[in-house]
Amino acid sequence: MPKYSHTVDQKVYRFHDLRDLLAKASPARSGDTLAGVAAADYEERVAAQMALAEVPLAQFLSETVIPYEEDEVTRLIIDRHDAEAFRPVAHLTVGDFRNWLLSDLATEETLARLAPGLTPEMAAAVSKIMRIQDLILVAKKCRVVTAFRTTVGLPGRLSTRLQPNHPTDDPAGVSASVVDGLMYGNGDAVIGINPATDNVGAVMTLIHMLDAVIRRYEIPTQSCVLTHVTTSIEAINRGAPLDLVFQSIAGTEAANRSFGINLGILREGYAAARSLGRGTVGHNVMYFETGQGSALSANAHHGVDQQTCEARAYAVAREFSPFLVNTVVGFIGPEYLYDGKQIIRAGLEDHFCGKLLGVPMGCDVCYTNHAEADQNDMDMLLTLLAVAGINFVMGIPGSDDVMLNYQTTSFHDALYVRKVLGARPAPEFEAWLQRVGIFSGDAKILADTAPGLFLDGIRKLGV
């Protein structure tokens, strides 16, 4: 018997349960069509959104999209729910909640207190009835600050991950990209390498190399080799100077199992990294990556739409107080997000939901070469996310990752958005850039204004 319905022009649209309603209310995307859960047409989608707006937020606590008994992510969501934090909005429907979020009653402080009281499904639901400008406005009011050797997420700041990938993990190639990125003020969120192999010895070589660079030039940043969490644990056991533990995560137990992880393994990695005590200004030690479509691609979505699955991944992330969380929004391919329009919408949804849930969100503004998207689409998403107050974005030589073979944002793109919005790097990193002569006191690159001073800065880095 359908539980939810809405009438449009005397036609009654019925939705079997909350899972079905959420899926039909989702803005169009190819992954939901592939999964067979999408609305049949725009009229059904609008009917679902109207019906969803009438659902009480409290309903999400009594009706789960994946049964409590079958999924440890569901159990985490329900068991960690903070009823006291939820109380101020407990009487609202999804539509009322949207209106409240857009009002001046929803301040930065209020939203921070509310975050533990929200479930991912609540965040996903309200995002589905929001316009682009709504997603930006509310996300801008949500601030999540984290720290390790730099402080990320402060007002007026935009950080970057310097991503010096190399198809063979060649130290010279990696080092060249690191220097290139530093010269453009990139790397305050992390210097993070996707290794070409998960071999422990090769991973340890990269960890030691990055640690040596950071220590030699006294760079206030952190490194991460984006290997499997179990490889990071083994590297720590062998004495590697590891800063951040990385792992790709998803919003269902089955999808995480396909990654070779569960919550217990993540807790082991978190404890191992914390035991090293390598942070200086803070102790957030985890770096997670997510992406809409990951659960579907593993056939582990339980009939839940991909955006709701993605929001559930943020509950996993939230459990471990991460330093960075990054939605790799267009990386999985057009089977899940078909074109630039879908990628832009998904990136803003992910940022909104993550920030609303208290997660320090960044975004890999990217697309694969077989998607109906181009760099102009990425310029739009980058700009919109920066306006929305995103914590960090990617910085890659020429925006072309030669190891992972996809298109993302370059060192220059980060400079562009910082200049347009007057945003600056993390304060610790900015002070270093000025000290070594890469940035001037007013955050300008000295290569543009004083080449001689810039060359002095390069010499200080031993280049």
Side-chain angles (χ1 to χ4, degrees):
M1 185 73 177
K3 294 183 64 173
Y4 305 96
S5 65
H6 189 79
T7 302
V8 179
D9 292 334
Q10 299 184 329
K11 181 177 181 180
V12 180
Y13 287 89
R14 294 183 172 88
F15 309 96
H16 299 292
D17 50 25
L18 202 50
R19 176 176 57 188
D20 183 41
L21 180 61
L22 286 166
K24 298 295 195 299
S26 263
R29 61 209 56 201
S30 53
D32 290 339
T33 300
L34 178 65
V37 302
D41 52 34
Y42 279 100
E43 186 170 289
E44 185 181 25
R45 182 171 298 112
V46 169
Q49 290 170 344
M50 295 294 288
L52 181 60
E54 297 300 319
V55 175
L57 288 179
Q59 181 69 16
F60 294 91
L61 299 174
S62 59
E63 182 182 351
T64 60
V65 296
I66 303 174
Y68 182 93
E69 299 77 17
E70 297 178 14
D71 185 88
E72 69 171 357
V73 178
T74 299
R75 293 193 291 275
L76 176 71
I77 290 167
I78 298 301
D79 294 348
R80 288 289 191 269
H81 181 255
D82 187 330
E84 187 59 34
F86 180 58
R87 194 178 307 280
V89 299
H91 61 291
L92 300 178
T93 65
V94 172
D96 294 332
F97 185 43
R98 170 191 175 272
N99 295 338
W100 181 85
L101 287 170
L102 293 171
S103 77
D104 290 334
L105 294 173
T107 64
E108 179 182 322
E109 295 76 17
T110 303
L111 291 171
R113 290 193 298 268
L114 177 64
L118 297 178
T119 69
E121 290 84 356
M122 294 175 192
V126 74
S127 77
K128 294 175 192 296
I129 62 170
M130 285 180 146
R131 295 171 57 184
I132 292 290
Q133 64 176 249
D134 299 340
L135 297 172
I136 293 171
L137 175 61
V138 178
K140 182 73 171 180
K141 296 194 284 187
C142 298
R143 188 161 305 285
V144 185
V145 179
T146 56
F148 190 78
R149 292 195 193 100
T150 56
T151 306
V152 174
L154 292 170
R157 306 281 176 172
L158 176 66
S159 296
T160 61
R161 170 189 162 191
L162 200 172
Q163 186 170 310
N165 293 346
H166 192 279
T168 64
D169 292 338
D170 177 58
V174 171
S175 298
S177 293
V178 169
V179 172
D180 189 19
L182 291 173
M183 291 301 104
Y184 286 100
N186 280 244
D188 54 326
V190 66
I191 302 175
I193 303 174
N194 296 91
T197 174
D198 222 25
N199 175 272
V200 177
V203 166
M204 289 185 66
T205 297
L206 292 173
I207 293 172
H208 280 285
M209 182 192 75
L210 291 178
D211 180 63
V213 170
I214 289 171
R215 285 189 295 106
R216 178 178 178 183
Y217 302 113
E218 300 179 333
I219 308 171
T221 191
Q222 37 285 319
S223 69
C224 184
V225 177
L226 281 68
T227 187
H228 195 270
V229 60
T230 55
T231 305
S232 292
I233 293 170
E234 179 59 26
I236 291 172
N237 291 338
R238 296 187 189 184
L242 185 145
D243 291 337
L244 304 180
V245 166
F246 169 80
Q247 183 56 48
S248 294
I249 58 173
T252 74
E253 179 180 350
N256 283 325
R257 190 183 307 123
S258 76
F259 291 152
I261 62 165
N262 55 40
L263 294 176
I265 291 173
L266 292 178
R267 291 188 179 104
E268 185 180 349
Y270 174 75
R274 286 295 297 266
S275 72
L276 298 180
R278 292 177 58 81
T280 55
V281 297
H283 303 286
N284 301 108
V285 296
M286 303 299 284
Y287 176 12
F288 295 122
E289 286 191 346
T290 66
Q292 287 193 29
S294 58
L296 175 58
S297 68
N299 194 28
H301 59 103
H302 298 269
V304 179
D305 69 271
Q306 65 182 35
Q307 192 254 333
T308 301
C309 280
E310 171 71 7
R312 284 168 55 94
Y314 306 147
V316 177
R318 184 168 62 177
E319 176 73 1
F320 300 95
S321 302
F323 181 57
L324 306 170
V325 177
N326 175 37
T327 169
V328 192
V329 66
F331 182 73
I332 304 181
E335 300 85 354
Y336 307 95
L337 295 170
Y338 178 71
D339 57 14
K341 183 176 181 178
Q342 292 188 9
I343 292 170
I344 289 169
R345 171 81 196 191
L348 292 167
E349 288 171 347
D350 295 350
H351 178 246
F352 164 85
C353 289
K355 283 286 188 66
L356 194 61
L357 294 167
V359 173
M361 288 302 297
C363 182
D364 192 340
V365 178
C366 64
Y367 64 100
T368 57
N369 287 318
H370 62 309
E372 290 294 321
D374 60 26
Q375 212 64 39
N376 289 320
D377 296 310
M378 299 307 100
D379 284 350
M380 287 188 281
L381 179 54
L382 172 64
T383 305
L384 293 170
L385 285 169
V387 171
I390 198 161
N391 280 25
F392 71 102
V393 295
M394 303 298 110
I396 294 176
S399 77
D400 184 4
D401 192 302
V402 296
M403 197 278 279
L404 295 176
N405 294 309
Y406 77 117
Q407 306 302 310
T408 180
T409 48
S410 70
F411 303 142
H412 303 80
D413 293 333
L415 274 183
Y416 142 73
V417 79
R418 281 174 173 168
K419 287 182 178 180
V420 166
L421 297 179
R424 294 150 61 194
E428 302 86 354
F429 191 78
E430 182 182 38
W432 178 81
L433 291 171
Q434 294 173 3
R435 187 168 67 251
V436 300
I438 295 174
F439 272 21
S440 63
D442 56 0
K444 293 179 180 177
I445 293 183
L446 289 174
D448 294 336
T449 58
L453 292 176
F454 180 74
L455 291 174
D456 288 343
I458 292 178
R459 294 187 187 101
K460 287 180 182 179
L461 289 179
V463 179

